[in-house]
Amino acid sequence: MGARFTVGPGQVAGTNFALWAAGAEAVELCLFTEDESGTLRETRHQLRELTHEVWHGFLPGVLPGQRYGYRVHGRWDPWTGARFNPAKLLLDPYARAVDGDFTMPPQVYGHVRDWPHQHIADTVRDERDSAPHVPKGVVVADGERAGESRPATDWADTVIYELHVRGFTRLNPQLPEALRGTYAGLAHPATVEHLDRLGITAVELLPVHHFAHEDHLLRRGLRNYWGYNSIGWFAPHAAYSASGSRGQQVGEFKKMVRTLHTAGIEVILDVVYNHSAEGGELGPTLSLRGIDNRRCYRLQDDARRYTDFTGCGNTLNVLQPNVLRLITDSLRYWVTEMGVDGFRFDLASTLARTAHEVDTLSPFLSTLAQDPVLRTVKLIAEPWDLGPGGYRLGGFPPPWSEWNDRYRDAVRDFWRGALPDVRDLGYRLSGSSDLYGWGGRRPYASINFITAHDGFTLRDLVSYERKHNEANGEGNRDGADDNRSQNCGVEGETDDPAVLALRRRQARNLLTTLLLSAGVPMLLAGDEMGRTQGGNNNAYCQDNETGWVDWSLLETPAWRPLAELTTRLLALRRAHPVLRSHSFFTGCPGDQEGPCDLAWFTTAGTEMTEADWYAPGATLGMYLSGRRIARRAPDGTEITDDSFLALFHAGAAPVEFTLPGPPWAEGYELLVDTSREDQRTPPGVRRRAGTRTMVPPRSVLLLAVLDTPPPTAQGGKTT
């Protein structure tokens, strides 16, 4: 499928073109060149070979760099779902590179967009040529594969950093101007050094499949920034290329992957296969709609209308074998040719739908489960969509991991004082066994996150209680209203030192909780340096300073300590396997004499009872034993580790906490105290077991367990 450069019969170099268009009556391949004056010239070739619904043909002399598109002939009958219109140049869904951008004038619509009677506008065919107004596919030769040497990081050791290729690099002053906002910029030593210094093991890239900007944004002078509007599932988005768009973007992307792999960093793509950029029946005709609308999309009983489980106007018909093939071919291409290590599937429940419901035995999930390439990479589901029964948190089968929004909500609620008790927090800290403790799943089935691209940044989470999305031009109606945020006393920016100090402390608390929890932590790029979007919780169209990472924050005294704390916590997590549990805790001792692998404590230093879990409370002690870990070294030997006690206190007043004595510990050393502004060095304070320790308000204390009591300080009391 697609355009494949090869050597044909008689050793003649050329390109084989193949397009699945089951309902078409004829298919024309259109080749584009420019004359000396820059005028675009189009040459049409009818594809006469038709094999198993695939129109195909070999054209000698067509070389890499050639731009092309298709015109597909067939019936115009929107009432039955047929929307063929050969006046519209269509992008090959298998194109490996795309040159140009969509500007969305009326000519790119298969129907008359500005028809005076909008309720029937989609039924009136537009005969104007769209070729001058749409990007073209580019023939790309097979090159060196990028995935020959992979980090292959174990799930339990993974730390994900969600970033936007353009937004993460656009304002980095250490990058040459020409590389900012590009794949090459992400591969620059200055960028990689930051990721490596933090301790990141995987970057999760917001969509890099070639996408289109929606007409309603372009009319308001905005652009689709996040990229959840895919139209080219094999092509790296050309606007992120520093080297060109005639196929150079492919090589640049591969080089980026190889560079990150050399640094031990995996590459995970956020992918959008649930819908396309063509929208509903009033949307443009860019590719699939003109290739075979009835088979490519899920239509309602009224075939003029689209079934929309995504909120984006349409839903790809994954029940159609060739649409499913398009998706799996794309996934395999990005793994085998482009070198990526996994995928996060936007609105994954949509892909798992059969005719009437979300089904774990759906063709999509079954296909990936048995595919020899795809079953070996990291698969992450956003386990919901907008359709009935679409919320499936905890319901995706092994080997899937899932974005865990219940983790996000529980941790946010705890630190803003909105949890009625600590039951939910206990489950989230220990890996969410209530959601994933079935089918042989592990804690790493839970992708833990406090913030993501969709919503407030970490700084905004503690600075705003209401969204401020006015710049999006939608009357502040877009974006979530339930943010579980707090402004610490003042809405938005302030000079009040007490408010600012509390905000920084709460940011440290949220981040520390995330990195001490069992499961896979995911950080939002820039959170470690205090990035703000000014209260915008839906910056999908803010391709500007609102959406970009402000690297100057790393040099500010106010926010630099947060980056230092992030680095320290990730180093602790990396050094101690008990902090990145491979299996769910049992609550039972690793041996007959030792303590349990996990225990929970009240402020009195006693183990939690059933009644304690249901009692109102803002303080929880979590003990992790490293004496015996349910994980073995590569040579089969048992792994042991230090033990730790973490104290989480969300109350506004300090609280006394009695440190548990034997058999839990003889003493403790304080490693992390989030009440401190300076996080460059650990506190280093030691305490005897059984002593009462004052826990500062709204803070996390992490203590290492000592097997021998520390020396007694002057006066018979520990420090």
Side-chain angles (χ1 to χ4, degrees), residues 2-6 13-17 57-64 139:
R4 303 301 301 274
F5 175 71
T6 185
T15 300
N16 191 75
F17 295 88
F58 177 78
L59 268 68
V62 174
L63 306 178
V139 176

Side-chain angles (χ1 to χ4, degrees), residues 396-693:
F396 275 71
W400 286 80
S401 295
E402 301 173 5
W403 271 27
N404 188 347
D405 65 328
R406 283 189 60 181
Y407 178 93
R408 175 199 64 197
D409 294 348
V411 174
R412 288 186 180 190
D413 281 348
F414 175 74
W415 286 110
R416 70 187 182 103
L419 280 185
D421 50 52
V422 293
R423 284 177 294 158
D424 206 19
L425 181 67
Y427 272 121
R428 306 308 144 227
L429 291 172
S430 57
S432 296
S433 61
D434 58 330
L435 299 174
Y436 303 111
W438 61 274
R441 303 185 83 179
R442 303 294 183 94
Y444 49 74
S446 176
I447 306 298
N448 299 332
F449 65 103
I450 305 293
T451 55
H453 69 275
D454 188 2
F456 284 144
T457 66
L458 182 63
R459 177 174 170 179
D460 289 354
L461 187 66
V462 296
S463 304
Y464 296 89
E465 292 186 0
R466 302 182 305 277
K467 64 186 181 183
H468 296 267
N469 299 353
E470 290 81 6
N472 295 355
E474 300 177 36
N476 205 34
R477 294 183 300 273
D478 61 303
D481 293 313
D482 180 17
N483 295 287
R484 291 177 159 87
S485 60
Q486 59 178 174
N487 61 23
C488 297
V490 177
E491 184 72 2
E493 295 301 315
T494 180
D495 295 327
D496 188 321
V499 172
L500 294 174
L502 179 56
R503 288 177 177 177
R504 293 192 296 269
R505 179 184 292 205
Q506 289 291 68
R508 293 193 295 270
N509 290 333
L510 290 161
L511 191 61
T512 302
T513 304
L514 173 67
L515 298 182
L516 293 180
S517 300
V520 177
M522 185 185 79
L523 292 84
L524 175 63
D527 271 356
E528 76 282 1
M529 57 181 94
R531 183 172 79 91
T532 177
Q533 294 180 167
N536 192 321
N537 74 350
N538 189 37
Y540 78 103
C541 57
Q542 297 300 317
D543 188 5
N544 48 48
E545 286 81 357
T546 297
W548 302 340
V549 172
D550 181 1
W551 286 79
S552 69
L553 292 166
L554 274 176
E555 305 305 321
T556 62
W559 292 105
R560 184 172 58 243
L562 187 63
E564 293 165 350
L565 176 63
T566 305
T567 300
R568 282 195 54 229
L569 288 169
L570 285 175
L572 274 171
R573 187 179 180 96
R574 185 167 57 251
H576 295 284
V578 72
L579 298 179
R580 41 189 170 85
S581 180
H582 191 269
S583 302
F584 286 113
F585 299 104
T586 65
C588 300
D591 52 55
Q592 293 184 349
E593 298 180 357
C596 296
D597 58 357
L598 172 69
W600 306 97
F601 288 93
T602 67
T603 57
T606 58
E607 286 192 71
M608 299 267 293
T609 65
E610 186 75 8
D612 292 327
W613 285 109
Y614 285 85
T619 311
L620 182 63
M622 178 177 70
Y623 182 98
L624 301 173
S625 174
R627 296 190 182 184
R628 182 170 295 173
I629 299 173
R631 185 177 183 182
R632 292 183 176 270
D635 61 2
T637 58
E638 290 186 351
I639 295 176
T640 59
D641 194 10
D642 298 331
S643 298
F644 295 90
L645 176 66
L647 307 180
F648 303 89
H649 176 52
V655 65
E656 280 194 341
F657 198 105
T658 301
L659 300 177
W664 307 101
E666 294 290 344
Y668 298 87
E669 180 178 0
L670 183 61
L671 301 180
V672 175
D673 177 359
T674 62
S675 70
R676 300 168 67 241
E677 285 276 4
D678 187 355
Q679 297 293 325
R680 285 175 293 183
T681 58
V685 177
R686 294 192 170 196
R687 294 179 171 90
R688 284 178 175 268
T691 60
R692 288 182 295 180
T693 295

Side-chain angles (χ1 to χ4, degrees), residues 17 37 42 49 103 250 322:
F17 295 88
S37 66
E42 176 182 348
E49 296 292 334
T103 57
V250 177
N322 282 282

